Amino acid sequence: MDDKKFNKYDLRWMMSLFGTAVGAGILFLPIKAGAFGIYPVLVMTLLAFPMAFLSHRNLARFCNASKKPQSDISEVSEEFFGAKAGIIITFLYFFVFFQACIMYGVGITNTLISFMQNQLEIAQISRFAVCFIIISAMIFVMIFKEDLVIKVCEWLTYPLCALLLIFSLYLVPHWQISAFFNFPTPKDFFLSILFSLPVLAFSFEHTPAVSTFAQSMQRRYGNTLKDFKCNQILFKNATILLFFIMFFVISCVLSLNPDEFSEAAKQNIPIVSYFANKFDDVIISYFAPLIAILAIATSFFGHYFGAREGLNGIVNKTYLKFQAPLPKEKPLNIAIAAFFYITMLIFSYLNPSILGIIDMFVGPIIAAILFLLPVYGIYKVPALKKYRKISADIFIAVFGIFTIATVVFEILF
């Protein structure tokens, strides 16, 4: 058997990474990116592939460079940069995916409420009741074995791919060709791309799965082929992400005008729910919410595992600092699940802006972990020296710096 050939095992990982990436980001990227027309979106399409592929490849290499086998991102960071840096990165790792889980709770709640109000025409809806039922269901699923949850998510990814493609093609007759004759001013063009960077980064990121993916490649293929297989799978994954995500975004942007994107942002609903409410079409009215639910569900489970991993690391590091016996795994996981359940329930009811969460917290912190941390490691850690590629590293570092800088611009402007 030639291990270099792409096989079923590799395909499973590619689809798992795809499922982790496709979530709330893709459902809100058109809303953020479409405000100034199609041309900024076309530039984002050119940026998206190298951004997704190079950054995740760097992170996988960063994880696999550890002398300790099967280390996650926080453990590798502590090994390379010391205990204090390890604690900070572990906290950021937890915080960003915790915020993502809150966002998924809000997104799926709003999708269901919008569906019940507009498609089922239910007048009186208790937001708390919807929150309670959907958040309870999401957390309940997490009591099953992790392998089972991941396997189910993998299988959900296939219908999600099909539905995204069908939806994108469905919108083609609604494309407004006049959009190609609307040119933004240079300032609007630049600001549109700049302020879309956090959502663009979040739409393609599958950071929670990368350390597990890198560990799996090391176990399966050993030190000889681990880099080759990571490279191969991540390249194919970035390719299908580029096609499905950006075709979907372009199709959405060509089908609405800027005012409609502003209205979708105010309603705090995924773009597919806005289309379901806009078009008087039975098929799209039911398929659009299904796309949102599948996308959010597959991505939520991956980010939940990432957040739980981060919180586990914080708790264990705290116990070690005070030289206390480490807590047992099962009670700790139950306590973490209870914490997530209560906080997700509260925030889903309060309904904070999803784009606001991405812009201010999720996007910039992901940029720090995904773009800047591995590049810093490549030029700081001797074991990573062989991976230095100056042009690629500059591209990723600049992309990360601009994504983080958007927080400052958001506050100022």
Side-chain angles (χ1 to χ4, degrees):
M1 176 182 174
D2 185 0
D3 282 337
K4 286 191 173 183
K5 287 185 178 179
F6 193 75
N7 54 55
K8 287 183 179 179
Y9 183 81
D10 302 338
L11 176 63
R12 282 185 60 200
W13 261 113
M14 185 184 78
M15 297 311 294
S16 180
L17 295 172
F18 180 92
T20 303
V22 177
I26 185 178
L27 302 177
F28 285 86
L29 179 58
I31 298 173
K32 190 73 175 180
F36 293 102
I38 188 63
Y39 289 104
V41 174
L42 294 178
V43 173
M44 291 177 213
T45 304
L46 296 176
L47 295 173
F49 178 83
M51 176 271 295
F53 171 60
L54 295 174
S55 61
H56 289 91
R57 185 180 69 173
N58 277 353
L59 190 60
R61 289 171 170 177
F62 179 80
C63 292
N64 266 338
S66 173
K67 293 178 182 178
K68 303 173 185 176
Q70 310 307 305
S71 297
D72 60 33
I73 292 172
S74 60
E75 292 169 333
V76 177
S77 300
E78 184 173 343
E79 178 186 340
F80 289 156
F81 308 129
K84 288 183 179 179
I87 291 172
I88 292 170
I89 292 165
T90 302
F91 175 77
L92 290 175
Y93 191 74
F94 155 71
F95 183 74
V96 68
F97 298 132
F98 171 61
Q99 291 285 334
C101 290
I102 287 174
M103 188 173 53
Y104 291 135
V106 175
I108 203 166
T109 299
N110 290 349
T111 298
L112 288 172
I113 289 176
S114 176
F115 176 70
M116 288 187 286
Q117 286 176 335
N118 295 283
Q119 280 71 55
L120 301 183
E121 298 182 350
I122 300 174
Q124 298 295 325
I125 299 171
S126 168
R127 183 174 184 88
F128 180 79
V130 175
C131 293
F132 178 78
I133 293 169
I134 194 63
I135 302 302
S136 298
M138 291 169 77
I139 296 297
F140 174 75
V141 171
M142 306 314 296
I143 69 172
F144 295 101
K145 288 185 178 179
E146 188 170 324
D147 291 342
L148 177 63
V149 175
I150 292 172
K151 194 168 185 179
V152 171
C153 287
E154 287 172 14
W155 284 107
L156 288 176
T157 304
Y158 292 99
L160 174 60
C161 287
L163 288 171
L164 278 173
L165 182 58
I166 292 168
F167 188 87
S168 301
L169 292 170
Y170 171 87
L171 292 178
V172 171
H174 300 278
W175 284 8
Q176 301 168 18
I177 304 304
S178 59
F180 288 102
F181 298 96
N182 294 327
F183 299 95
T185 64
K187 178 183 176 182
D188 287 342
F189 181 83
F190 172 75
L191 291 179
S192 177
I193 295 172
L194 179 67
F195 287 126
S196 296
L197 290 182
V199 192
L200 182 66
F202 182 60
S203 299
F204 281 82
E205 72 87 24
H206 33 284
T207 313
V210 169
S211 62
T212 308
F213 163 70
Q215 293 165 16
S216 179
M217 292 302 105
Q218 192 171 41
R219 284 195 305 269
R220 177 90 172 188
Y221 297 108
N223 291 329
T224 307
L225 284 179
K226 66 181 182 183
D227 287 338
F228 176 85
K229 296 306 288 189
C230 283
N231 209 54
Q232 182 187 56
I233 295 168
L234 289 171
F235 186 90
K236 291 179 183 295
N237 178 58
T239 302
I240 64 167
L241 279 172
L242 178 69
F243 172 73
F244 280 99
I245 291 178
M246 295 315 297
F247 180 41
F248 172 81
V249 172
I250 289 169
S251 204
C252 291
V253 170
L254 288 175
S255 302
L256 296 175
N257 60 56
D259 291 338
E260 289 174 309
F261 288 115
S262 298
E263 182 60 30
K266 288 176 185 176
Q267 293 179 25
N268 206 24
I269 57 174
I271 193 67
V272 288
S273 294
Y274 187 85
F275 276 112
N277 301 338
K278 175 182 170 66
F279 293 136
D280 186 19
D281 187 312
V282 175
I283 295 175
I284 206 69
S285 295
Y286 287 88
F287 267 92
L290 181 59
I291 292 172
I293 291 168
L294 278 176
I296 290 172
T298 55
S299 198
F300 165 74
F301 298 129
H303 284 81
Y304 178 89
F305 288 133
R308 189 180 70 181
E309 180 184 291
L311 190 52
N312 261 307
I314 292 171
V315 172
N316 288 330
K317 283 177 171 58
T318 304
Y319 272 73
L320 287 172
K321 184 177 181 180
F322 291 99
Q323 299 181 335
L326 292 178
K328 292 181 180 179
E329 186 176 352
K330 189 173 181 179
L332 178 58
N333 284 337
I334 291 172
I336 288 173
F339 169 73
F340 273 81
Y341 177 68
I342 293 168
T343 50
M344 284 179 65
L345 192 61
I346 292 170
F347 281 99
S348 296
Y349 179 75
L350 294 175
N351 193 25
S353 167
I354 292 174
L355 281 172
I357 294 174
I358 297 174
D359 287 341
M360 298 302 293
F361 300 109
V362 177
I365 296 175
I366 281 174
I369 295 172
L370 179 59
F371 302 139
L372 300 185
L373 176 66
V375 170
Y376 177 73
I378 285 170
Y379 288 87
K380 176 78 173 176
V381 180
L384 290 165
K385 183 179 179 180
K386 61 181 178 180
Y387 297 124
R388 292 177 185 174
K389 301 285 184 184
I390 294 177
S391 58
D393 296 336
I394 290 174
F395 172 81
I396 292 299
V398 169
F399 199 100
I401 290 167
F402 271 96
T403 303
I404 294 170
T406 57
V407 176
V408 179
F409 286 111
E410 288 277 1
I411 294 169
L412 293 177
F413 302 109

